[in-house]
Amino acid sequence: MARSDRVGVAKTYKLYIGGKFPRSESGRSYPVTSESGAFLANASQASRKDLRDAVVAARSAFGGWSGATAYNRGQVLYRVAEVMEGRRDQFIAEVRDAEDVRPRTAESLVDTAIDRWVWYAGWTDKLAAVLGGTNPVAGPYFSFTVPEPTGVVGVLAPQRSSLLGLVSVLAPVLATGCTAAFVSSDARPLPAITLAEVLATSDVPGGVVNLLTGQAAELGPWLASHADVNALDLTGADPEHRTELARSAADTVKRVLRVPEQEPDWTSSPGIGRLRAYLEDKTVWHPMGV
Amino acid sequence: MSVALAERLDDATRDASSLRRFLAGLPGVDQVGLEQRAATLATRSIKQDAKRWAIDTAISMVDLTTLEGADTRGAVRSLCAKAVRPDPQRPDTPSVAAVCVYPDLAATAVEALAGTDVAVASVATAFPSGRSNRAVKLADTALAVDSGATEVDMVIDRGAFLEGRYGDVFDEIVAVKQACGDSHLKVILETGELATYDNVRKASWLALLAGGDVIKTSTGKVSPAATLPVAHVMLQAVRDFHEATGELRGVKVAGGIRTTKDAIRYLVAVNEVAGERWLTPSLFRFGASSLLNDLLLQRRAKQDGHYSGANYLPE
């Protein structure tokens, strides 16, 4: 048989929940096209029940992930970057199709994304030293502060930057020891699905990251009002909806990350603002000299 | 089946060999058809008001269970508090049916549940393996009953059943039933160890003939525990037993049922196989521990319009 006669094996793009790749509970899917309109794939369109399952998975994974040593989390995240590197060509092709950029630009975006992941991986065991410390107090106490992960973080990932933007919002969640349920870019979900495959084949425990592909406008309100989500990143939400989402998040006292009106330039250095956002300070006053 | 069966039932319990003849004469289970029917019924969608009703019904059918070596009196007391008021912030939440504990802790549960509608169930007869002699098993039962347990969950001797000594199993259930006095007897078949659906059917009839008030799938200590097809077989047995004798016997499914979705699938099976009449806590139970919290979370989600979290419920 001539090589050209071979029937290609088309990939089914699914969700990533609790370490598994299920289809949407609703059975829905939607076509994903490139920026220029060419058909790329059918992606699962997640429903609110998928979102519920994702949060349950994130919650049950939180104990193990937040309880792992910072050193171990750093190693696991570094391993993710290693596997991303192995899939570099696939990421480049997907980013090129999704964002309609020139091959060289796509290459640079993917490299920056991998480097960003490594950068955040390096932060895991430095956070306590940089953001915590001993406090000088005027009394017979030894007072010190340690940062602890906030919990389950709901993320509406950037709509435009399909990989670098996603890595920039996701890696800080994991580096702090939080777990994530995130909704990928609606129109550009494929790099996110590949990233989920990378996470599944690294040493990241199932449930630490949960991917939903679908519409931020549909899933956002359920994510924002969910009582078991502790922090919220509304980067991917329509700016007009953000106030309302933040208001419904307030009912359960979620941390809502302050994000710029428009998507920022993800290539610039991120700083540690996002790490700080997903940490709670625990301060201990220990009596001494009594 | 019914008239002829009724006659055969009288004959069945005469002695060990007639019992063996009766059990051998039960029709075989069509495995493919059974599993297909169970799977089809499991896809039925229960929404809105029906789901609300199903959640409350399922809560009222829960035997809230703790069967750990590390159980303490304090843990049992707090479990009892939860059984009476599963969701303290929502006083309209129904209480569960019973609390299920080991016999030495039954007295603690009875004391904690005094004056409430929640029953105390105690496992007995060398639970979970059932590997001991008759005297020890009866003493175990007596401990449960004397402590005030109004329901006793016994295990059958699976070894004897698999060896084909049906008469021994039968006699043991009869003896335990006698030791129970007025307490309800639930007979645990441990279907995960019975290997075939035919055996499940035989064991179900055996337990019903011997006087078990409820037949129960599993101890929860063996995998697989409760499955939908097994529940179908057992529900068929209580239905046919009712048709033949007019007596109403119950079914309890236990082990591995953790989500509201699972629970609702069982309720659908109860309705479709046994009938609506069995949709009551006196005839159908869930043996579970983590299921209750999932039911409560879904109940809250229905009431609040948004999802809730385990942090909002008592442990």
Side-chain angles (χ1 to χ4, degrees), chain B residues 299-311:
Chain B
R299 193 174 188 276
R300 278 177 167 241
K302 286 265 158 216
Q303 287 181 341
D304 302 347
H306 67 78
Y307 290 118
S308 191
N311 284 343

Side-chain angles (χ1 to χ4, degrees), chain A residues 25 48-49 51-52 59 222 225-228 252, chain B residues 47 51 261 298 305-312:
Chain A
E25 157 279 337
R48 67 181 170 88
K49 293 201 173 169
L51 180 133
R52 176 196 65 192
R59 172 59 63 195
W222 292 101
S225 63
H226 198 309
D228 212 18
T252 47
Chain B
K47 300 275 185 216
K51 184 165 180 186
K261 200 179 217 171
Q298 296 254 356
H306 67 78
Y307 290 118
S308 191
N311 284 343
Y312 295 81

Side-chain angles (χ1 to χ4, degrees), chain B residues 102-252:
Chain B
Y102 271 115
D104 61 326
L105 289 165
T108 307
V110 168
E111 193 187 325
L113 290 170
T116 71
D117 292 337
V118 180
V120 175
S122 169
V123 296
T125 68
F127 180 95
S129 66
R131 294 259 62 88
S132 195
N133 66 18
R134 183 77 54 87
V136 170
K137 289 180 184 183
L138 292 178
D140 206 15
T141 311
L143 171 62
V145 176
D146 294 345
S147 304
T150 50
E151 302 180 2
V152 172
D153 290 30
M154 73 167 287
V155 290
I156 64 166
D157 183 345
R158 281 89 74 189
F161 181 89
L162 292 169
E163 278 180 34
R165 290 188 282 121
Y166 301 133
D168 291 354
V169 181
F170 183 90
D171 292 344
E172 189 160 285
I173 299 174
V174 171
V176 173
K177 171 73 183 166
Q178 205 165 19
C180 280
D182 294 335
S183 296
H184 242 55
L185 177 64
K186 300 184 205 135
V187 183
I188 302 173
L189 310 180
E190 195 63 293
T191 54
E193 291 181 345
L194 296 186
T196 66
Y197 293 127
D198 285 344
N199 277 347
V200 173
R201 177 168 282 172
K202 280 185 194 145
S204 300
W205 277 97
L206 176 64
L208 292 171
L209 288 168
D213 297 298
V214 170
I215 47 176
K216 173 174 168 184
T217 57
S218 345
T219 58
K221 305 285 184 197
V222 166
S223 183
T227 65
L228 275 169
V230 157
H232 272 238
V233 173
M234 293 168 62
L235 286 162
Q236 286 164 3
V238 293
R239 179 199 61 199
D240 292 343
F241 189 81
H242 173 250
E243 267 180 34
T245 65
E247 287 177 44
L248 283 168
R249 303 288 177 85
V251 173
K252 173 172 169 182

Side-chain angles (χ1 to χ4, degrees), chain A residues 25 49, chain B residues 39-51 54 261 264-265 268:
Chain A
E25 157 279 337
K49 293 201 173 169
Chain B
T40 310
L41 285 176
T43 63
R44 189 169 290 180
S45 175
I46 305 294
K47 300 275 185 216
Q48 301 301 334
D49 286 350
K51 184 165 180 186
K261 200 179 217 171
I264 290 178
R265 283 173 177 167
V268 169

Side-chain angles (χ1 to χ4, degrees), chain A residues 216-231:
Chain A
E218 180 193 352
L219 299 170
W222 292 101
L223 190 61
S225 63
H226 198 309
D228 212 18
V229 173
N230 304 113

Side-chain angles (χ1 to χ4, degrees), chain A:
Chain A
M1 197 196 288
R3 193 177 163 72
S4 58
D5 290 342
R6 181 173 176 271
V7 177
V9 179
K11 179 161 135 188
T12 315
Y13 289 85
K14 296 193 269 193
L15 311 176
Y16 180 53
I17 297 173
K20 295 196 166 61
F21 289 92
R23 291 183 170 80
S24 169
E25 157 279 337
S26 63
R28 298 178 304 176
S29 63
Y30 68 103
V32 177
T33 59
S34 70
E35 191 66 15
S36 55
F39 175 80
L40 294 176
N42 285 309
S44 287
Q45 189 178 350
S47 69
R48 67 181 170 88
K49 293 201 173 169
D50 297 315
L51 180 133
R52 176 196 65 192
D53 293 346
V55 174
V56 168
R59 172 59 63 195
S60 56
F62 178 70
W65 185 242
S66 60
T69 62
Y71 169 76
N72 180 240
R73 272 204 303 276
Q75 294 279 301
V76 169
L77 294 182
Y78 187 80
R79 170 83 183 148
V80 173
E82 288 175 12
V83 181
M84 284 178 83
E85 190 78 36
R87 295 239 198 176
R88 189 169 167 273
D89 292 342
Q90 186 187 355
F91 275 122
I92 290 169
E94 283 175 347
V95 168
R96 196 188 57 218
D97 285 342
E99 304 184 16
D100 196 25
V101 289
R102 286 202 307 243
R104 181 155 303 178
T105 313
E107 225 168 283
S108 142
L109 285 172
V110 171
D111 289 344
T112 312
I114 299 173
D115 292 350
R116 172 104 0 121
W117 196 281
V118 172
W119 187 78
Y120 274 116
W123 268 107
T124 54
D125 56 359
K126 298 165 189 69
L127 287 168
V130 173
L131 296 176
T134 55
N135 309 312
V137 289
Y141 299 97
F142 175 48
S143 170
F144 60 97
T145 297
V146 284
E148 293 191 341
T150 300
V152 174
V153 182
V155 179
L156 299 178
Q159 294 297 336
R160 301 186 57 77
S161 182
S162 60
L163 183 68
L164 177 56
L166 174 63
V167 165
S168 303
V169 300
L170 197 59
V173 175
L174 303 189
T176 56
C178 291
T179 56
F182 80 98
V183 181
S184 73
S185 162
D186 173 15
R188 304 168 171 181
L190 303 190
I193 299 168
T194 304
L195 182 64
E197 288 168 3
V198 166
L199 293 165
T201 49
S202 314
D203 297 325
V204 183
V208 168
V209 181
N210 302 279
L211 154 73
L212 302 163
T213 53
Q215 288 163 3
E218 180 193 352
L219 299 170
W222 292 101
L223 190 61
S225 63
H226 198 309
D228 212 18
V229 173
N230 304 113
L232 201 58
D233 174 359
L234 296 174
T235 302
D238 187 330
E240 286 176 17
H241 295 155
R242 279 189 198 149
T243 312
E244 198 172 329
L245 290 172
R247 194 177 293 129
S248 74
D251 286 341
T252 47
V253 208
K254 286 186 189 62
R255 306 282 180 196
V256 180
L257 183 73
R258 194 179 287 270
V259 293
E261 180 89 358
Q262 297 301 327
E263 252 185 68
D265 172 18
W266 297 107
T267 57
S268 61
S269 171
I272 62 167
R274 282 179 172 273
L275 291 166
R276 194 191 292 266
Y278 304 128
L279 290 167
E280 309 292 324
D281 286 339
K282 179 171 85 179
T283 297
V284 178
W285 293 68
H286 193 286
M288 53 186 276
V290 183

